[in-house]
Amino acid sequence: QRHVVQSGGGLVQPGGSLRLSCTASGFTVDGYAIAWFRQAPGKEREALSCISDKSGNPTYSDSVKGRFIVSRDKAKNTVHLQMDRLKPEDTALYYCAAVLLYCTPKRSDYDYWGQGTQVTVSS
């Protein structure tokens, strides 16, 4: 059965760093596009980043570009989201999602979703 499991997240002070991980089971991450989304209370789910062999360089939203880096560890079948210089406005529930081959900004295109992990940036 194919699914993804998230880990990481938590509480961090502004300016701090966290790393989220998304581990695939039942499929290999190098054949799929893995994206990261987040949803803050009362807001729409926002696409943050995506990595895929077929889509060229990883993509980032303007809100996280230069602060977040997505990477793949094929040996562990895992995709990481390194989040640096975190801000209070980064507080949200973060999700990873997978779709075959190509990155897409449409949430409905993604087949497998992680369980969500809370990131809270607060002093």
Side-chain angles (χ1 to χ4, degrees):
Q1 188 174 1
R2 299 176 182 180
H3 61 277
V4 291
V5 177
Q6 296 177 226
S7 59
L11 173 65
V12 66
Q13 291 186 343
S17 298
L18 284 173
R19 189 176 80 162
L20 305 182
S21 299
C22 179
T23 300
S25 180
F27 65 96
T28 55
V29 295
D30 56 355
Y32 278 71
I34 307 295
W36 289 93
F37 296 80
R38 70 184 178 191
Q39 189 163 19
K43 294 190 176 181
E44 294 255 330
R45 192 168 296 189
E46 174 191 10
L48 302 178
S49 181
C50 187
I51 187 167
S52 164
D53 280 340
K54 297 293 185 181
S55 298
N57 292 329
T59 61
Y60 299 94
S61 67
D62 288 343
S63 60
V64 304
K65 195 176 296 182
R67 300 187 298 122
F68 291 11
I69 296 176
V70 65
S71 63
R72 227 175 357 208
D73 183 341
K74 294 184 181 182
K76 295 183 178 179
N77 211 27
T78 296
V79 170
H80 301 292
L81 184 68
Q82 178 66 39
M83 306 184 295
D84 297 324
R85 292 185 283 141
L86 283 160
K87 306 173 183 179
E89 51 263 44
D90 293 317
T91 296
L93 196 58
Y94 284 68
Y95 296 91
C96 67
V99 64
L100 190 63
L101 296 179
Y102 295 97
C103 290
T104 165
K106 286 178 60 180
R107 297 192 301 268
S108 59
D109 286 341
Y110 287 84
D111 297 312
Y112 311 107
W113 286 84
Q115 77 275 23
T117 185
Q118 179 67 37
V119 170
T120 302
V121 185
S122 175
S123 54

